Coordinates of all heavy atoms in Angstrom, one line a residue:
M1 N 131.4 7.1 41.8 CA 130.6 6.0 42.4 C 129.4 6.6 43.2 O 128.4 6.1 43.2 CB 131.6 5.3 43.4 CG 131.0 4.1 44.1 SD 130.6 2.9 42.9 CE 130.0 1.6 43.9
K2 N 129.7 7.8 43.8 CA 128.6 8.4 44.6 C 127.4 8.8 43.7 O 126.3 8.7 44.0 CB 129.2 9.6 45.3 CG 128.2 10.3 46.2 CD 128.8 11.5 46.9 CE 127.8 12.2 47.8 NZ 128.4 13.4 48.4
N3 N 127.8 9.3 42.5 CA 126.7 9.7 41.5 C 125.9 8.5 41.1 O 124.7 8.6 40.9 CB 127.3 10.4 40.3 CG 127.9 11.7 40.6 OD1 127.5 12.4 41.6 ND2 128.8 12.2 39.8
K4 N 126.5 7.4 40.9 CA 125.8 6.2 40.5 C 124.9 5.7 41.6 O 123.7 5.3 41.3 CB 126.8 5.0 40.1 CG 127.5 5.3 38.8 CD 128.2 4.1 38.3 CE 128.9 4.5 37.0 NZ 129.1 3.3 36.1
I5 N 125.3 5.8 42.8 CA 124.5 5.4 43.9 C 123.3 6.3 44.1 O 122.1 5.9 44.3 CB 125.3 5.3 45.2 CG1 126.3 4.2 45.2 CG2 124.4 5.1 46.4 CD1 127.3 4.2 46.3
S6 N 123.5 7.6 43.9 CA 122.5 8.6 44.0 C 121.5 8.4 42.8 O 120.3 8.5 43.1 CB 123.1 10.0 43.9 OG 122.1 11.0 43.9
E7 N 122.0 8.2 41.6 CA 121.1 7.9 40.5 C 120.3 6.7 40.7 O 119.1 6.7 40.4 CB 121.9 7.8 39.2 CG 121.1 7.6 38.0 CD 122.0 7.5 36.8 OE1 123.1 8.1 36.7 OE2 121.6 6.8 35.8
F8 N 120.9 5.6 41.2 CA 120.1 4.4 41.5 C 119.0 4.6 42.5 O 117.9 4.2 42.4 CB 121.1 3.3 42.0 CG 120.4 2.0 42.4 CD1 120.0 1.2 41.4 CD2 120.3 1.7 43.7 CE1 119.3 0.0 41.8 CE2 119.6 0.5 44.1 CZ 119.2 -0.3 43.1
F9 N 119.3 5.4 43.6 CA 118.3 5.7 44.6 C 117.2 6.6 44.0 O 116.0 6.3 44.3 CB 119.0 6.5 45.7 CG 118.1 7.0 46.8 CD1 117.5 6.1 47.7 CD2 117.7 8.3 46.9 CE1 116.6 6.5 48.7 CE2 116.8 8.7 47.9 CZ 116.3 7.8 48.7
N10 N 117.5 7.5 43.2 CA 116.5 8.4 42.6 C 115.6 7.6 41.6 O 114.4 8.0 41.5 CB 117.1 9.5 41.8 CG 117.7 10.6 42.7 OD1 117.3 10.7 43.9 ND2 118.7 11.3 42.3
V11 N 116.1 6.5 41.1 CA 115.2 5.7 40.2 C 114.4 4.7 40.9 O 113.2 4.5 40.7 CB 116.1 5.0 39.1 CG1 115.3 4.0 38.3 CG2 116.7 6.0 38.2
T12 N 115.0 4.1 41.9 CA 114.3 3.0 42.6 C 113.4 3.4 43.7 O 112.4 2.7 44.0 CB 115.3 2.0 43.2 OG1 116.2 2.6 44.1 CG2 116.1 1.3 42.1
F13 N 113.7 4.5 44.4 CA 112.9 4.9 45.5 C 111.4 5.1 45.2 O 110.5 4.6 45.9 CB 113.5 6.2 46.2 CG 112.8 6.6 47.4 CD1 112.8 5.8 48.6 CD2 112.1 7.8 47.5 CE1 112.2 6.2 49.7 CE2 111.5 8.2 48.7 CZ 111.5 7.4 49.8
P14 N 111.1 5.9 44.1 CA 109.6 6.0 43.8 C 109.0 4.7 43.4 O 107.8 4.5 43.8 CB 109.6 7.0 42.6 CG 110.9 7.5 42.5 CD 111.9 6.7 43.3
I15 N 109.7 3.8 42.8 CA 109.1 2.5 42.4 C 108.9 1.7 43.6 O 107.8 1.1 43.8 CB 110.1 1.8 41.4 CG1 110.2 2.6 40.1 CG2 109.6 0.4 41.2 CD1 111.3 2.1 39.2
V16 N 109.8 1.7 44.6 CA 109.6 1.0 45.8 C 108.4 1.5 46.6 O 107.6 0.8 47.2 CB 110.9 1.0 46.7 CG1 110.6 0.5 48.1 CG2 111.9 0.2 46.0
L17 N 108.2 2.8 46.6 CA 107.1 3.4 47.3 C 105.8 3.0 46.7 O 104.8 2.6 47.4 CB 107.2 5.0 47.3 CG 108.2 5.6 48.2 CD1 108.3 7.1 48.0 CD2 107.9 5.3 49.7
L18 N 105.7 3.0 45.4 CA 104.4 2.6 44.7 C 104.2 1.1 44.9 O 103.0 0.7 45.2 CB 104.5 2.9 43.3 CG 104.3 4.4 42.9 CD1 104.5 4.7 41.4 CD2 103.0 5.0 43.5
I19 N 105.2 0.3 44.8 CA 105.0 -1.2 45.0 C 104.5 -1.5 46.5 O 103.6 -2.3 46.7 CB 106.3 -1.9 44.7 CG1 106.5 -1.9 43.2 CG2 106.2 -3.4 45.2 CD1 107.9 -2.4 42.8
T20 N 105.1 -0.8 47.4 CA 104.7 -1.0 48.8 C 103.3 -0.5 49.0 O 102.5 -1.2 49.7 CB 105.7 -0.2 49.7 OG1 107.0 -0.5 49.4 CG2 105.4 -0.5 51.2
A21 N 102.9 0.6 48.4 CA 101.5 1.0 48.5 C 100.5 0.0 47.9 O 99.5 -0.3 48.5 CB 101.3 2.4 47.8
I22 N 100.9 -0.6 46.8 CA 100.1 -1.6 46.1 C 99.9 -2.8 47.0 O 98.8 -3.4 47.2 CB 100.6 -2.0 44.7 CG1 100.4 -0.8 43.8 CG2 99.9 -3.2 44.2 CD1 101.1 -0.9 42.5
V23 N 101.0 -3.2 47.6 CA 101.0 -4.4 48.6 C 100.1 -4.1 49.7 O 99.2 -4.9 50.1 CB 102.4 -4.8 49.0 CG1 102.4 -5.7 50.2 CG2 103.2 -5.3 47.9
F24 N 100.2 -2.9 50.3 CA 99.3 -2.6 51.4 C 97.8 -2.5 51.0 O 96.9 -2.8 51.8 CB 99.7 -1.3 52.1 CG 100.8 -1.5 53.1 CD1 102.0 -0.8 52.9 CD2 100.7 -2.3 54.2 CE1 103.1 -1.0 53.8 CE2 101.7 -2.5 55.1 CZ 102.9 -1.8 54.9
I25 N 97.6 -2.1 49.8 CA 96.2 -2.1 49.3 C 95.6 -3.5 49.2 O 94.5 -3.7 49.6 CB 96.1 -1.3 47.9 CG1 96.3 0.2 48.1 CG2 94.8 -1.6 47.2 CD1 96.4 0.9 46.8
F26 N 96.4 -4.4 48.7 CA 96.0 -5.8 48.6 C 95.8 -6.5 49.9 O 95.0 -7.4 50.0 CB 96.9 -6.6 47.7 CG 96.8 -6.4 46.3 CD1 97.8 -6.0 45.5 CD2 95.5 -6.5 45.6 CE1 97.7 -5.8 44.1 CE2 95.4 -6.3 44.3 CZ 96.4 -5.9 43.5
I27 N 96.5 -6.1 51.0 CA 96.3 -6.7 52.3 C 95.3 -5.9 53.1 O 95.2 -6.1 54.3 CB 97.6 -7.0 53.0 CG1 98.3 -5.7 53.3 CG2 98.4 -7.9 52.3 CD1 99.5 -5.9 54.2
D28 N 94.6 -4.9 52.5 CA 93.6 -4.1 53.2 C 94.1 -3.3 54.3 O 93.4 -3.1 55.3 CB 92.4 -5.0 53.6 CG 91.6 -5.5 52.5 OD1 91.5 -4.8 51.5 OD2 91.0 -6.6 52.6
E29 N 95.3 -2.7 54.1 CA 95.8 -1.7 55.1 C 95.8 -0.3 54.4 O 96.8 0.2 54.0 CB 97.2 -2.1 55.5 CG 97.3 -3.2 56.5 CD 96.9 -2.7 57.9 OE1 97.1 -1.6 58.2 OE2 96.3 -3.6 58.6
L30 N 94.6 0.2 54.3 CA 94.5 1.5 53.5 C 95.2 2.7 54.1 O 95.8 3.5 53.4 CB 93.0 1.8 53.3 CG 92.3 0.7 52.4 CD1 90.9 1.1 52.2 CD2 93.0 0.6 51.1
P31 N 95.2 2.8 55.5 CA 96.0 4.0 56.0 C 97.5 3.9 55.7 O 98.1 4.9 55.4 CB 95.7 3.9 57.5 CG 94.5 3.1 57.6 CD 94.5 2.2 56.5
S32 N 98.0 2.7 55.7 CA 99.5 2.6 55.4 C 99.7 2.8 53.9 O 100.7 3.5 53.5 CB 99.9 1.2 55.7 OG 99.8 0.9 57.1
A33 N 98.8 2.3 53.1 CA 98.9 2.6 51.6 C 98.8 4.1 51.3 O 99.6 4.6 50.5 CB 97.8 1.8 50.9
A34 N 97.9 4.7 52.0 CA 97.8 6.2 51.8 C 99.1 6.9 52.2 O 99.4 7.9 51.6 CB 96.6 6.7 52.6
S35 N 99.7 6.5 53.3 CA 100.9 7.1 53.7 C 102.0 6.9 52.6 O 102.8 7.9 52.4 CB 101.4 6.4 55.0 OG 100.5 6.6 56.0
F36 N 102.2 5.8 52.0 CA 103.2 5.6 51.0 C 102.9 6.3 49.7 O 103.8 6.8 49.1 CB 103.4 4.1 50.7 CG 104.2 3.4 51.8 CD1 103.6 2.6 52.7 CD2 105.6 3.5 51.8 CE1 104.4 1.9 53.7 CE2 106.3 2.9 52.7 CZ 105.7 2.1 53.7
I37 N 101.6 6.5 49.4 CA 101.2 7.3 48.3 C 101.5 8.7 48.5 O 102.0 9.5 47.6 CB 99.7 7.0 47.9 CG1 99.6 5.6 47.4 CG2 99.2 8.0 46.9 CD1 98.1 5.2 47.2
A38 N 101.3 9.2 49.8 CA 101.6 10.6 50.1 C 103.1 10.8 50.0 O 103.5 11.9 49.6 CB 101.1 10.9 51.5
L39 N 103.9 9.9 50.5 CA 105.4 10.0 50.4 C 105.8 10.1 48.9 O 106.7 10.9 48.6 CB 106.0 8.8 51.1 CG 106.1 8.9 52.6 CD1 106.7 7.5 53.1 CD2 107.0 10.0 53.0
Y40 N 105.2 9.3 48.1 CA 105.5 9.3 46.7 C 105.2 10.7 46.1 O 105.9 11.2 45.3 CB 104.7 8.2 45.9 CG 104.9 8.3 44.4 CD1 106.1 7.8 43.8 CD2 103.9 8.8 43.6 CE1 106.3 7.9 42.5 CE2 104.1 8.8 42.2 CZ 105.2 8.4 41.7 OH 105.4 8.5 40.3
A41 N 104.0 11.2 46.5 CA 103.6 12.5 45.9 C 104.6 13.6 46.4 O 105.0 14.5 45.6 CB 102.2 12.9 46.4
V42 N 105.0 13.6 47.7 CA 105.9 14.6 48.2 C 107.3 14.5 47.5 O 107.9 15.5 47.1 CB 106.1 14.4 49.7 CG1 107.3 15.2 50.2 CG2 104.8 14.8 50.4
Y43 N 107.7 13.2 47.2 CA 109.0 13.0 46.6 C 108.9 13.5 45.1 O 109.9 14.2 44.6 CB 109.4 11.5 46.6 CG 110.7 11.2 46.0 CD1 111.9 11.4 46.7 CD2 110.8 10.7 44.7 CE1 113.1 11.1 46.2 CE2 112.0 10.4 44.2 CZ 113.2 10.6 44.9 OH 114.4 10.4 44.3
S44 N 107.8 13.3 44.4 CA 107.7 13.7 43.1 C 107.6 15.2 43.0 O 108.2 15.9 42.1 CB 106.4 13.1 42.4 OG 106.5 11.7 42.4
I45 N 106.8 15.9 43.9 CA 106.7 17.3 43.8 C 108.0 18.0 44.2 O 108.4 19.0 43.6 CB 105.6 17.8 44.8 CG1 104.2 17.3 44.3 CG2 105.6 19.3 45.1 CD1 103.1 17.5 45.3
G46 N 108.8 17.4 45.1 CA 110.1 17.9 45.4 C 111.0 18.0 44.2 O 111.8 18.9 44.0
G47 N 111.0 16.9 43.3 CA 111.8 16.9 42.1 C 111.4 18.1 41.2 O 112.3 18.7 40.6
Y48 N 110.1 18.3 41.0 CA 109.6 19.4 40.2 C 110.0 20.7 40.7 O 110.4 21.6 40.0 CB 108.1 19.3 40.0 CG 107.7 18.1 39.1 CD1 106.7 17.3 39.6 CD2 108.2 17.9 37.9 CE1 106.3 16.2 38.9 CE2 107.8 16.8 37.1 CZ 106.8 15.9 37.6 OH 106.4 14.9 36.9
L49 N 110.0 20.9 42.0 CA 110.4 22.1 42.6 C 111.9 22.4 42.5 O 112.3 23.6 42.3 CB 110.0 22.2 44.1 CG 108.5 22.2 44.4 CD1 108.3 22.2 45.9 CD2 107.9 23.5 43.8
R50 N 112.7 21.4 42.5 CA 114.1 21.6 42.3 C 114.4 22.0 40.9 O 115.2 22.9 40.6 CB 114.9 20.3 42.6 CG 115.3 20.2 44.0 CD 116.2 18.9 44.2 NE 115.4 18.0 45.1 CZ 114.9 16.9 44.7 NH1 115.1 16.4 43.6 NH2 114.1 16.2 45.6
N51 N 113.6 21.5 39.9 CA 113.8 21.9 38.5 C 113.4 23.3 38.3 O 114.0 24.1 37.6 CB 113.0 21.0 37.6 CG 113.6 19.6 37.5 OD1 114.8 19.4 37.8 ND2 112.8 18.6 37.1
I52 N 112.3 23.7 38.9 CA 111.8 25.1 38.8 C 112.9 26.0 39.4 O 113.2 27.1 38.9 CB 110.5 25.3 39.5 CG1 109.4 24.5 38.7 CG2 110.1 26.7 39.7 CD1 108.0 24.5 39.4
D53 N 113.4 25.7 40.6 CA 114.4 26.5 41.2 C 115.7 26.7 40.4 O 116.2 27.8 40.2 CB 114.8 25.9 42.6 CG 115.8 26.7 43.4 OD1 115.5 28.0 43.5 OD2 116.8 26.2 43.9
K54 N 116.1 25.6 39.7 CA 117.2 25.7 38.8 C 116.9 26.6 37.6 O 117.8 27.5 37.2 CB 117.6 24.3 38.2 CG 118.3 23.5 39.2 CD 118.6 22.1 38.6 CE 119.2 21.2 39.7 NZ 119.5 19.8 39.1
G55 N 115.7 26.6 37.1 CA 115.3 27.4 36.0 C 115.3 28.9 36.4 O 115.7 29.8 35.6
I56 N 114.8 29.2 37.6 CA 114.8 30.5 38.1 C 116.2 31.1 38.3 O 116.5 32.2 38.0 CB 113.9 30.6 39.4 CG1 112.5 30.4 39.1 CG2 114.2 32.0 40.1 CD1 111.6 30.3 40.3
D57 N 117.1 30.2 38.8 CA 118.5 30.6 39.0 C 119.1 31.0 37.6 O 119.9 32.0 37.5 CB 119.3 29.5 39.7 CG 119.0 29.4 41.1 OD1 118.4 30.4 41.7 OD2 119.3 28.4 41.7
I58 N 118.9 30.2 36.6 CA 119.4 30.5 35.3 C 118.9 31.8 34.7 O 119.6 32.6 34.2 CB 119.2 29.3 34.3 CG1 120.0 28.1 34.8 CG2 119.5 29.7 32.9 CD1 119.6 26.8 34.1
L59 N 117.6 32.0 34.9 CA 117.0 33.2 34.4 C 117.5 34.4 35.1 O 117.8 35.4 34.5 CB 115.4 33.1 34.5 CG 114.6 34.3 34.1 CD1 114.8 34.5 32.6 CD2 113.2 34.2 34.5
W60 N 117.6 34.3 36.4 CA 118.1 35.4 37.2 C 119.6 35.7 36.9 O 120.0 36.9 36.8 CB 118.0 35.1 38.7 CG 118.5 36.2 39.6 CD1 119.7 36.2 40.3 CD2 117.8 37.4 39.9 NE1 119.8 37.4 41.0 CE2 118.6 38.2 40.8 CE3 116.6 37.9 39.5 CZ2 118.3 39.4 41.2 CZ3 116.3 39.2 39.9 CH2 117.1 39.9 40.8
N61 N 120.4 34.8 36.6 CA 121.8 35.0 36.2 C 121.9 35.7 34.9 O 122.7 36.6 34.7 CB 122.5 33.6 36.2 CG 124.0 33.8 36.0 OD1 124.5 34.8 36.4 ND2 124.7 32.8 35.5
R62 N 121.0 35.3 33.9 CA 121.0 36.0 32.6 C 120.6 37.4 32.7 O 121.2 38.3 32.1 CB 120.1 35.2 31.6 CG 120.6 33.9 31.2 CD 119.7 33.3 30.2 NE 120.2 32.0 29.8 CZ 119.6 31.2 29.0 NH1 118.4 31.5 28.5 NH2 120.2 30.0 28.6
I63 N 119.6 37.7 33.6 CA 119.2 39.1 33.8 C 120.3 39.9 34.4 O 120.6 41.0 34.0 CB 117.9 39.1 34.6 CG1 116.7 38.6 33.8 CG2 117.6 40.6 35.1 CD1 115.5 38.4 34.6
Y64 N 121.0 39.3 35.4 CA 122.1 40.0 36.1 C 123.2 40.3 35.1 O 123.7 41.4 35.1 CB 122.6 39.1 37.2 CG 123.8 39.7 37.8 CD1 123.8 40.8 38.7 CD2 125.1 39.0 37.6 CE1 125.0 41.3 39.2 CE2 126.2 39.5 38.1 CZ 126.2 40.6 38.9 OH 127.4 41.1 39.4
L65 N 123.6 39.3 34.3 CA 124.7 39.5 33.3 C 124.3 40.6 32.3 O 125.1 41.4 31.9 CB 125.1 38.2 32.7 CG 125.7 37.2 33.6 CD1 126.0 35.9 32.8 CD2 127.0 37.7 34.2
R66 N 123.0 40.6 31.8 CA 122.6 41.6 30.9 C 122.7 43.0 31.5 O 123.2 43.9 30.8 CB 121.2 41.3 30.4 CG 120.8 42.2 29.2 CD 119.4 42.1 28.9 NE 118.6 42.8 29.9 CZ 117.4 42.5 30.3 NH1 116.8 41.5 29.7 NH2 116.8 43.2 31.2
N67 N 122.2 43.1 32.7 CA 122.3 44.4 33.4 C 123.7 44.8 33.6 O 124.0 46.0 33.5 CB 121.5 44.4 34.7 CG 120.0 44.3 34.4 OD1 119.5 44.6 33.3 ND2 119.2 43.9 35.4
K68 N 124.5 43.9 34.0 CA 126.0 44.2 34.2 C 126.6 44.7 32.9 O 127.4 45.6 32.9 CB 126.7 43.0 34.8 CG 128.1 43.2 35.2 CD 128.7 42.0 35.8 CE 130.1 42.3 36.2 NZ 130.8 41.1 36.7
H69 N 126.3 44.0 31.8 CA 126.8 44.5 30.5 C 126.4 45.9 30.1 O 127.1 46.6 29.6 CB 126.4 43.5 29.4 CG 126.9 43.8 28.1 ND1 128.2 43.8 27.7 CD2 126.2 44.3 27.0 CE1 128.3 44.2 26.4 NE2 127.1 44.5 26.0
D70 N 125.1 46.2 30.5 CA 124.5 47.5 30.2 C 125.0 48.6 31.2 O 124.7 49.8 31.0 CB 123.0 47.5 30.1 CG 122.5 46.6 28.9 OD1 123.3 46.5 28.0 OD2 121.3 46.2 29.0
G71 N 125.6 48.2 32.2 CA 126.1 49.2 33.2 C 125.1 49.4 34.3 O 125.2 50.4 35.1
I72 N 124.1 48.6 34.4 CA 123.0 48.8 35.5 C 123.3 47.7 36.5 O 123.3 46.5 36.3 CB 121.6 48.5 34.9 CG1 121.4 49.5 33.7 CG2 120.6 48.7 36.0 CD1 120.1 49.1 32.9
E73 N 123.6 48.2 37.8 CA 123.9 47.2 38.8 C 123.1 47.5 40.0 O 122.7 48.6 40.4 CB 125.3 47.2 39.2 CG 126.1 46.4 38.1 CD 127.5 46.1 38.5 OE1 127.7 45.6 39.6 OE2 128.4 46.4 37.7

């Protein structure tokens, strides 16, 4: 159940941020719209950084296991 709630949040949060920014643009509140667009950018970049971190961890683990197999520690 926790995974489904987390997945729902990960899908809807960026959409809500963009819709809110569009609404603020239409009512001529540009500073508020810019804030929501900045939040969307930070949220998106955070996701990419998490993926890069996972990739580095996998690569580091493979190098460690290869060195351990070769007797280099």
Side-chain angles (χ1 to χ4, degrees):
M1 185 68 179
K2 184 178 178 183
N3 289 338
K4 289 190 179 206
I5 293 171
S6 176
E7 182 179 329
F8 177 75
F9 177 74
N10 288 334
V11 171
T12 58
F13 186 64
I15 295 169
V16 169
L17 286 175
L18 288 177
I19 290 172
T20 307
I22 291 170
V23 167
F24 278 120
I25 288 172
F26 281 126
I27 62 172
D28 289 331
E29 282 289 325
L30 296 180
S32 298
S35 298
F36 281 103
I37 291 172
L39 283 173
Y40 175 76
V42 168
Y43 184 78
S44 297
I45 291 171
Y48 291 125
L49 290 177
R50 270 185 248 113
N51 289 340
I52 290 171
D53 186 44
K54 287 180 186 177
I56 290 172
D57 285 343
I58 291 170
L59 179 65
W60 182 255
N61 190 23
R62 287 183 181 175
I63 291 171
Y64 171 75
L65 290 176
R66 187 190 74 209
N67 288 342
K68 186 176 178 183
H69 177 71
D70 291 340
I72 304 169
E73 287 192 47

